[in-house]
Amino acid sequence: MEVSYLLAAAAWLASPLALADMNVALLDNKPAFIADVMRQMTLDEKIGQLRLISIGSDMPQPQLLKEIAAGRIGGTFNTVTRADNRPLQDAAVKRSRLKIPLFFAYDVVHGHRTIFPISLAQASSWDMDAVSLSARTSAMEASADGIDMTFAPMVDISRDPRWGRTSEGFGEDPYLVSEIARTAVHAYQGKSLAAADSVMASVKHFALYGAVEGGRDYNTVDMSPMRMYQDYLPPYRAAVDAGAGGVMVALNSINGVPATSNTWLMQDLLRKDWGFRGVTISDHGAIAELIRHGVAKDGREAARLAIRAGIDMSMHDSLYLQELPGLVKSGEVKEPEIDNAVREILGAKYDMGLFHDPYRRIGAAAGDPPDVNAESRLHRAAARDVARRSMVLLENSKQILPLKKAGVIALVGPLADAPIDIMGSWSAAGVARQSVTLYQGMRTALGDKARLVYARGANVTDNQHIVDYLNYLNWDKPEITQDKRSPEAMIAEAVKAAGQADVIVAAVGEARGMSHESSSRTSLDIPASQHALLAALKATGKPLVLVLMNGRPLALNWERENADAILETWFSGTEGGNAIADVLFGDYNPSGKLPISFPRSVGQIPIYYNHLRIGRPFIEGKPGNYTSQYFEEANGPLYPFGYGLSYTDFSLSDVKLSTRTLDRDGKLDASVTLRNTGRRDGATVVQLYVQDVSASVVRPVKELKDFRKIMLKAGEEKVVHFTVDAEKLKFFNAGLQYVAEPGEFNLQIGLDSRTVRQQSFELR
Ligand code: BGC
């Protein structure tokens, strides 16, 4: 493979067409080389580079090739094979005047051909090796299909599960999401971005997209600067600091100014404060949407606002192409402003190694895989490994799990044999027929040791309006197949199956489209059709195990009361069925923890663990009147942030501090002894929280500051150490200075955010 890349590169460089008049001798000096290319570019060619084309939706192939050859396209996205990309790259480097290579991008969010669990699931692993394995494997698979850049990681903090894109992010906590952001960028980009198996990470959506009002997609964001800096911006910053080559800009406005025309966001914060040196890309059609936001009266003004704000590339709309020549002519946009954008785009291409070899990831035709979906191209073991590390055991009241591989098991539910849904949304180039469903996974695990009876039991929903919506949403073809039988007939069949069984496993939750872009919900309940099925199953009196598949926190009051066990599996990917079976039958002991709080009802939203302190807090067990609470139901989350059970038990000792007074330049060691008191080996996550007791501004009740995932054999114990220094105690004060203020702090260690052991110390 390497050799074919090298041959292609050598042939390209030797060709009289190659690099036109570009100075190959300058190739190893990035600024000089790019300056030399730009010196030769006409204004139109520069503007052409700012255009990112959506393959399949923007124009037919013949026109696309013409536009590329005319130097009017800088990059494309949505192609998924080398054979797709080669003719496009040929048009750029063999037919355009300056032979500037294109780059090829794609939404590789949780896997490319092999689909890993969705991002929210990966966050539930609290395991940076798992996150890294997913992103590195994705980079290898995507680059082997000729892709240079991914629109990932998506690190929008989400505290409103009504928002369908909660599934695409890593949860509610700035610290955890920042750790993941850093890990993912390193894994996508590898040791060198120019390597043939690296892809450039374009972190998204900058910024604050997860805070859309009411969880309604594309809605407004209005937020105090302190909250922004403290809670929502850190993950983007972590990705930038980790070297992400790209930043995709959010669709929403921020305090009245759309991100796409937000000079403060794009220049003052991103470039000047954070020192970002890379390419900025608008989201799909976002420049034209400035007109709908009501900040631009027409396309011309929209283009002017976006380029002047610092949006280098325009995705999907052609406004830069149409309007920038006139804007430069009239002097409303200066050519150096366009040069700044072009320099970043060419810089990104340079960093991806494309000037050295435009075919670095496309390779030679002779090396194309005969079958892009060949089994041998998948990384099933990695996907299964990450999937089982991502599952969260929510309930296991009578130790019903793990199940024995014996007797009769009834498997029911619309998601039990759902190869499309198990992939989750944004499943890149994954194909459903390669997914292992729960039914298949359990079959394989059981062999002939036990009998598995299956009944679908219900449709995901019987609401035709929702079915139509989901079918129309995004996919190439309708993907919800409704069972035409009556709900009663389906339930009767499931109840009959349950009647023969020793235990029922019910796979319920959401269709994948329900947790997707543009899929905001007003309810967090399991849809009525499935709820009716669960009620009927409960009435059989047989032990009931719920396997949840969903992309957001759900309100699970009934389920918690009525199920004997609940396993949150999210959308677990290509190997989901095998991974779930591993957990159900105890071949893997679950170790995931929630990266987001689960509310009791939609009315509690927003509910997140690290909320600010208030003057009249509700205190568990005390009368609620004149405290901050809802009076119709219990307060607090149903399942708190950081929560998750295991098949074994763990105990934590009291916290020991090495000192009670921490000097500003000193360090404090906080330790606990973690013991596996049960009878199985298992892993758990030890979590460190800090509360600033009194500060110049109101501070959160607690904040995650560190964590460790620890594996212990049955009966084993281990002392877990955390180091705390002044850096960990810093926050953004009212003047947005990042400071640690002297005074008392409570340090808490626990296995979730609610049940903790506490000690205090003073920062001097
Ligand atoms: C989404 C982005 C995505 C882009 C390209 C947009 O609709 O908001 O997250 O990267 O499409 O597919």
Side-chain angles (χ1 to χ4, degrees):
M1 194 70 91
E2 245 337 277
V3 174
S4 70
Y5 285 133
L6 289 177
L7 288 178
W12 180 69
L13 284 174
S15 139
L17 296 170
L19 281 172
D21 298 324
M22 285 176 212
N23 193 341
V24 176
L26 291 178
L27 248 183
D28 288 330
N29 180 341
K30 179 179 169 185
F33 177 79
I34 289 172
D36 189 56
V37 176
M38 287 178 62
R39 188 181 48 76
Q40 302 173 62
M41 294 173 85
T42 63
L43 178 64
D44 286 346
E45 282 166 333
K46 288 177 181 171
I47 292 170
Q49 284 298 309
L50 315 188
R51 191 164 172 224
L52 180 60
I53 290 295
S54 171
I55 301 287
S57 78
D58 286 2
M59 62 185 80
Q61 180 88 353
Q63 189 191 347
L64 179 66
L65 294 173
K66 256 195 228 151
E67 292 282 293
I68 294 171
R72 279 201 290 267
I73 292 177
T76 71
F77 66 104
N78 279 347
T79 44
V80 293
T81 68
R82 293 159 41 131
D84 284 344
N85 291 346
R86 191 172 297 107
L88 308 184
Q89 194 66 299
D90 286 348
V93 303
K94 295 185 183 153
R95 288 170 50 204
S96 75
R97 189 181 78 88
L98 285 176
K99 327 291 177 208
I100 297 172
L102 297 173
F103 72 79
F104 302 96
Y106 194 40
D107 290 281
V108 179
V109 178
H110 56 105
H112 176 63
R113 299 259 167 213
T114 313
I115 302 307
F116 284 75
I118 58 166
S119 302
L120 194 61
Q122 292 189 31
S124 308
S125 74
W126 294 56
D127 183 337
M128 296 309 119
D129 292 340
V131 171
S132 183
L133 183 59
S134 165
R136 185 88 284 274
T137 311
S138 305
M140 281 160 44
E141 290 187 0
S143 59
D145 275 343
I147 290 161
D148 306 302
M149 178 193 282
T150 174
F151 300 138
M154 188 283 216
V155 300
D156 304 326
I157 293 284
S158 165
R159 291 168 169 182
D160 192 330
R162 289 173 295 183
W163 191 48
R165 304 196 81 168
T166 300
S167 59
E168 274 178 70
F170 299 101
E172 75 187 24
D173 181 66
Y175 181 80
L176 179 59
V177 181
S178 299
E179 290 296 300
I180 294 173
R182 184 175 306 122
T183 304
V185 169
H186 286 147
Y188 283 126
Q189 299 195 159
K191 286 201 184 69
S192 158
L193 243 178
D197 66 356
S198 292
V199 294
M200 180 176 275
S202 274
V203 61
K204 66 189 186 187
H205 305 83
F206 189 64
L208 324 183
Y209 186 22
V212 284
E213 251 177 35
R216 187 154 50 75
D217 208 1
Y218 317 124
N219 203 2
T220 298
V221 174
D222 204 284
M223 188 186 286
S224 78
M226 258 200 292
R227 166 159 293 186
M228 215 186 266
Y229 275 76
Q230 191 62 34
D231 297 343
Y232 283 80
L233 292 175
Y236 310 108
R237 174 82 198 252
V240 165
D241 287 350
V247 167
M248 185 188 290
V249 184
L251 293 161
N252 51 278
S253 64
I254 297 173
N255 297 344
V257 183
T260 307
S261 61
N262 199 318
T263 308
W264 165 76
L265 182 75
M266 300 307 300
Q267 305 217 359
D268 298 343
L269 185 70
L270 181 66
R271 298 242 183 237
K272 292 188 194 127
D273 246 24
W274 294 2
F276 176 66
R277 300 288 311 273
V279 62
T280 59
I281 302 176
S282 77
D283 201 345
H284 208 263
I287 298 179
E289 287 172 19
L290 292 175
I291 304 170
R292 296 232 186 93
H293 275 290
V295 297
K297 65 175 183 305
D298 53 21
R300 182 181 170 91
E301 192 173 9
R304 177 172 62 79
L305 289 174
I307 192 79
R308 301 211 60 182
I311 312 297
D312 300 332
M313 274 196 119
S314 123
M315 183 194 286
H316 176 64
D317 53 45
S318 302
L319 288 178
Y320 275 1
L321 191 78
Q322 287 155 18
E323 305 296 348
L324 287 180
L327 284 164
V328 172
K329 209 161 168 207
S330 71
E332 287 164 89
V333 170
K334 306 270 178 280
E335 193 160 344
E337 289 174 302
I338 300 207
D339 285 348
N340 287 340
V342 176
R343 197 173 299 111
E344 298 302 353
I345 294 161
L346 297 183
K349 292 181 177 182
Y350 183 96
D351 292 342
M352 291 185 270
L354 293 170
F355 280 111
H356 289 80
D357 177 7
Y359 298 91
R360 175 147 295 186
R361 299 180 184 82
I362 296 172
D368 285 358
D371 172 9
V372 288
N373 292 120
E375 265 300 311
S376 58
R377 303 187 83 217
L378 298 184
H379 294 85
R380 287 191 179 275
R384 182 169 180 166
D385 181 25
V386 174
R388 48 194 214 169
R389 288 196 249 174
S390 302
M391 291 171 193
V392 187
L393 183 63
L394 296 176
E395 296 291 338
N396 195 17
S397 52
K398 295 170 205 146
Q399 315 298 310
I400 189 90
L401 291 180
L403 299 176
K404 290 187 198 61
K405 290 180 188 169
V408 183
I409 301 172
L411 174 63
V412 298
L415 294 162
D417 198 19
I420 296 178
D421 294 304
I422 206 164
M423 295 195 292
S425 77
W426 295 105
S427 55
V431 291
R433 69 182 150 77
Q434 290 181 318
S435 302
V436 177
T437 67
L438 177 56
Y439 175 72
Q440 292 163 340
M442 287 178 75
R443 273 243 75 87
T444 310
L446 291 173
D448 51 17
K449 295 195 194 97
R451 195 151 74 83
L452 187 67
V453 279
Y454 165 75
R456 178 159 166 162
N459 286 313
V460 169
T461 173
D462 288 333
N463 182 327
Q464 194 55 42
H465 166 75
I466 295 175
V467 171
D468 292 344
Y469 180 76
L470 296 177
N471 274 334
Y472 171 74
L473 188 61
N474 191 44
W475 329 105
D476 301 341
K477 46 183 183 303
E479 60 173 43
I480 308 272
T481 339
Q482 291 295 88
D483 194 316
K484 295 280 184 297
R485 289 175 293 165
S486 72
E488 296 74 23
M490 290 171 78
I491 288 178
E493 186 192 37
V495 166
K496 193 168 157 218
Q500 309 164 37
D502 306 307
V503 59
I504 309 165
V505 175
V508 292
E510 299 181 300
R512 69 166 179 169
M514 293 170 76
S515 275
H516 184 66
E517 181 177 349
S518 185
S519 287
S520 300
R521 294 187 63 189
T522 54
S523 154
L524 297 175
D525 294 339
I526 290 182
S529 56
Q530 299 181 65
H531 188 261
L533 168 66
L534 293 180
L537 294 171
K538 173 69 185 173
T540 65
K542 294 286 170 87
L544 179 59
V545 174
L546 300 192
V547 170
L548 296 178
M549 298 189 194
N550 49 293
R552 51 157 64 82
L554 297 174
L556 299 167
N557 295 299
W558 185 93
E559 291 75 7
R560 186 195 201 188
E561 289 293 307
N562 290 284
D564 297 289
I566 306 179
L567 181 66
E568 175 58 85
T569 71
W570 309 108
F571 294 116
S572 49
T574 304
E575 278 289 309
N578 285 331
I580 301 170
D582 287 342
V583 174
L584 289 179
F585 295 116
D587 297 320
Y588 181 84
N589 187 352
S591 59
K593 301 277 186 175
L594 295 178
I596 187 164
S597 308
F598 271 43
R600 294 170 195 275
S601 61
V602 80
Q604 282 186 315
I605 292 167
I607 186 164
Y608 50 94
Y609 85 95
N610 46 353
H611 57 85
L612 294 183
R613 288 164 68 187
I614 53 175
R616 293 185 178 190
F618 171 78
I619 296 167
E620 190 93 43
K622 298 253 169 78
N625 40 340
Y626 298 98
T627 70
S628 185
Q629 43 115 29
Y630 299 102
F631 66 80
E632 307 110 305
E633 64 180 354
N635 281 276
L638 190 66
Y639 297 113
F641 176 82
Y643 170 85
L645 302 171
S646 162
Y647 294 154
T648 189
D649 293 310
F650 294 98
S651 72
L652 267 189
S653 69
D654 282 338
V655 178
K656 270 198 213 139
L657 299 186
S658 60
T659 171
R660 295 265 166 197
T661 47
L662 173 63
D663 288 327
R664 192 148 284 275
D665 53 0
K667 285 188 187 341
L668 171 160
D669 177 84
S671 59
V672 282
T673 304
L674 173 73
R675 190 173 157 77
N676 180 342
T677 57
R679 270 183 267 132
R680 283 173 177 268
D681 302 350
T684 189
V685 181
V686 184
Q687 303 159 34
L688 172 78
Y689 296 90
V690 170
Q691 181 193 45
D692 194 340
V693 176
S694 164
S696 60
V697 293
V698 177
R699 304 280 298 119
V701 289
K702 62 178 70 183
E703 294 168 288
L704 182 72
K705 291 293 178 181
D706 209 344
F707 59 87
R708 299 256 194 297
K709 190 155 190 176
I710 309 274
M711 174 78 201
L712 289 181
K713 296 210 173 316
E716 198 186 350
E717 66 175 39
K718 185 171 182 179
V719 182
V720 183
H721 292 274
F722 293 103
T723 304
V724 177
D725 57 14
E727 199 55 37
K728 275 213 174 332
L729 307 176
K730 284 188 174 170
F731 64 96
F732 289 93
N733 66 15
L736 297 182
Q737 289 137 332
Y738 194 52
V739 294
E741 294 179 354
E744 196 188 345
F745 289 82
N746 290 328
L747 181 150
Q748 307 175 339
I749 298 183
L751 301 180
D752 63 56
S753 61
R754 188 156 56 191
T755 314
V756 292
R757 308 255 177 174
Q758 178 171 307
Q759 292 286 356
S760 305
F761 68 91
E762 191 193 338
L763 174 70
R764 283 203 293 217

